[in-house]
Amino acid sequence: MGVGEVAFYLKEMTLQDIDLMRPILREMGKKGIPLLLHTNETIGHSYPGKGMTPLERFYELILSFPNLPIILGHWGGGLLFYELMPEVAKTMANVYYDTAASPFLYSKKIYFIACQLVGIEKIFFGSDFPLILPRRYFKELEESGLPKQDQEKILGLNFSKRFDTFFKFDNFLFFK
């Protein structure tokens, strides 16, 4: 159980949008139900689905709901780099990052660098299928230099461990 991918494609997310979502996000936070937000970098090449919401707005939402588990799509649009700031890292305690669209956005070094920045446990596999087939991610992950056990954490163990209250798996399978 979770909500997402919540995206603002045609306009940026505003403070008024956050206020409109407040009742449901507050309830989700109380119950530990995760929210997946579509985030993207605001610089670089243009592409279909690239939103206009500045990273600061996502940070404002995170500040407003400290108990809400939030998964930021597409490596959080680079928001993870701000976790080098201690006050940001503390604020982002319930924030996780998915790998969706990674091959289009970053070099495969992102896996190793992200692990160093935020810790392996905060990274979840996301594919953006059917845009990109999962095997492309598997290849990049294998070539990233991460140990096999860290690759398995990204491919599902992290998510399963964090959200096992909502997502029960009798047999967890890794796709190859």
Side-chain angles (χ1 to χ4, degrees), residues 22 33 37 50 62 75 81 83 91-92 106 137 147 157:
R22 188 170 303 283
I33 298 171
L37 288 171
K50 186 169 188 167
I62 293 162
W75 297 104
F81 297 108
E83 286 209 38
T91 298
M92 309 273 276
Y106 299 100
Y137 292 91
L157 292 177

Side-chain angles (χ1 to χ4, degrees), residues 98-163:
D98 86 13
T99 64
S102 198
F104 287 147
L105 302 171
Y106 299 100
S107 77
K108 61 187 159 204
K109 291 186 260 182
I110 188 67
Y111 292 96
F112 182 80
I113 292 168
C115 289
Q116 296 298 306
L117 290 173
V118 300
I120 186 71
E121 68 282 348
K122 292 186 73 168
I123 303 169
F124 298 159
F125 175 73
S127 70
D128 250 0
F129 179 81
L131 181 64
I132 304 174
L133 296 176
R135 70 175 157 257
R136 186 164 171 193
Y137 292 91
F138 302 149
K139 183 175 188 281
E140 281 197 352
L141 198 50
E142 287 172 4
E143 295 172 352
S144 70
L146 290 178
K148 193 71 168 165
Q149 67 266 22
D150 285 349
Q151 293 177 37
E152 291 173 352
K153 289 175 183 176
I154 290 171
L155 289 173
L157 292 177
N158 286 340
F159 185 86
S160 178
K161 182 178 177 182
R162 173 58 179 90
F163 295 111

Side-chain angles (χ1 to χ4, degrees), residues 134 138 155 173-176:
F138 302 149
L155 289 173
L173 301 175
F174 294 99
F175 300 98
K176 284 291 179 179

Side-chain angles (χ1 to χ4, degrees), residues 16-32:
Q16 291 81 13
D17 294 320
I18 294 171
D19 282 340
L20 286 171
M21 295 185 287
R22 188 170 303 283
I24 193 165
L25 296 181
R26 189 179 303 121
E27 287 303 310
M28 289 170 60
K30 287 178 188 175
K31 296 177 180 176

Side-chain angles (χ1 to χ4, degrees), residues 5 12 17 28 41 44 52 61 65 68 72 74 78 92 96-97 116 119 128 149 159 161-162 168 171 174:
E5 175 176 21
E12 72 179 59
D17 294 320
M28 289 170 60
E41 72 298 336
M52 299 178 287
L61 186 142
F65 302 95
L68 177 63
L72 297 178
H74 317 289
M92 309 273 276
Y96 304 87
Y97 302 92
Q116 296 298 306
D128 250 0
Q149 67 266 22
F159 185 86
K161 182 178 177 182
R162 173 58 179 90
K168 297 291 184 189
N171 294 309
F174 294 99

